[in-house]
Amino acid sequence: MPFQRRSKDYSMSCHATFKMTKVLGHWKLFSSDDKWDEYMRTLGINFVLRKVGNSITSYEEIKQNGDDWELNITSTFKNAHLKFKLGEEFDETTLDGRKCKSRFVVEGEDLVHYQKGIKPGEVDSKITRTRVDDETMTITLEAIDKNLVTVRTFKRYTP
């Protein structure tokens, strides 16, 4: 279960904090694999919003100030600003309007974002941000219990 407390998710040693600084910064969407539309459909996103989601370029800025983290997602369509502390659950409204309970944790060297649907039948997600190299970050989105995973690739940029 994605919201079960596991001590390794909550440990933020200096070593884990150092590793996480690798995903900090500005990222621009470079590519999405062929499962992106299917992932959005599985989450219940309607046809029009899926078409928009397939056609826009999105940007992410990940910031950290001590225990406080921020994720800014921007595009020409909609923007989101998430403020969080690792391991603490918070209410989120996704870019497509779904309401969920969210929590960010560190798993290995990855920043992982769990989204748990509030309404019965909603699909839960696991969104994993992994820095591949100095210029590349992947975001792996998993529809939990639906056997569906998609990967989006982002490149570092200077705004």
Side-chain angles (χ1 to χ4, degrees), residues 47-62:
F47 177 79
V48 173
L49 287 179
R50 286 199 324 269
K51 290 301 170 196
V52 170
N54 282 318
S55 66
I56 61 171
T57 298
S58 65
Y59 301 85
E60 293 201 0
E61 178 188 15
I62 304 170

Side-chain angles (χ1 to χ4, degrees), residues 26-158:
H26 294 85
W27 303 93
K28 178 181 179 181
L29 179 64
F30 179 73
S31 65
S32 299
D33 70 13
D34 61 353
K35 298 283 189 184
W36 173 237
D37 188 73
E38 185 179 351
Y39 173 80
M40 290 188 291
R41 185 175 48 249
T42 299
L43 294 182
I45 298 170
N46 70 46
F47 177 79
V48 173
L49 287 179
R50 286 199 324 269
K51 290 301 170 196
V52 170
N54 282 318
S55 66
I56 61 171
T57 298
S58 65
Y59 301 85
E60 293 201 0
E61 178 188 15
I62 304 170
K63 300 190 292 187
Q64 178 190 11
N65 183 10
D67 290 341
D68 298 318
W69 289 72
E70 291 183 53
L71 172 60
N72 294 305
I73 303 170
T74 57
S75 72
T76 54
F77 180 63
K78 281 191 173 182
N79 301 325
H81 178 80
L82 303 178
K83 290 179 125 180
F84 58 92
K85 291 182 187 291
L86 293 176
E88 292 184 10
E89 188 175 89
F90 63 96
D91 294 324
E92 178 185 358
T93 300
T94 63
L95 289 170
D96 58 276
R98 291 174 295 119
K99 300 212 182 290
C100 59
K101 295 288 186 181
S102 289
R103 183 171 55 90
F104 281 83
V105 297
V106 173
E107 293 181 2
E109 295 187 16
D110 300 333
L111 181 62
V112 181
H113 179 187
Y114 287 101
Q115 294 177 324
K116 182 170 178 54
I118 295 173
K119 296 179 183 174
E122 287 184 324
V123 177
D124 298 340
S125 293
K126 178 182 180 183
I127 304 164
T128 304
R129 289 170 173 82
T130 304
R131 198 186 83 188
V132 177
D133 58 40
D134 287 345
E135 300 301 317
T136 309
M137 175 179 71
T138 58
I139 300 181
T140 304
L141 301 101
E142 176 186 354
I144 297 173
D145 296 330
K146 297 294 182 182
N147 197 31
L148 179 61
V149 175
T150 186
V151 177
R152 305 186 90 195
T153 302
F154 285 72
K155 294 292 185 177
R156 188 177 297 279
Y157 81 101
T158 304

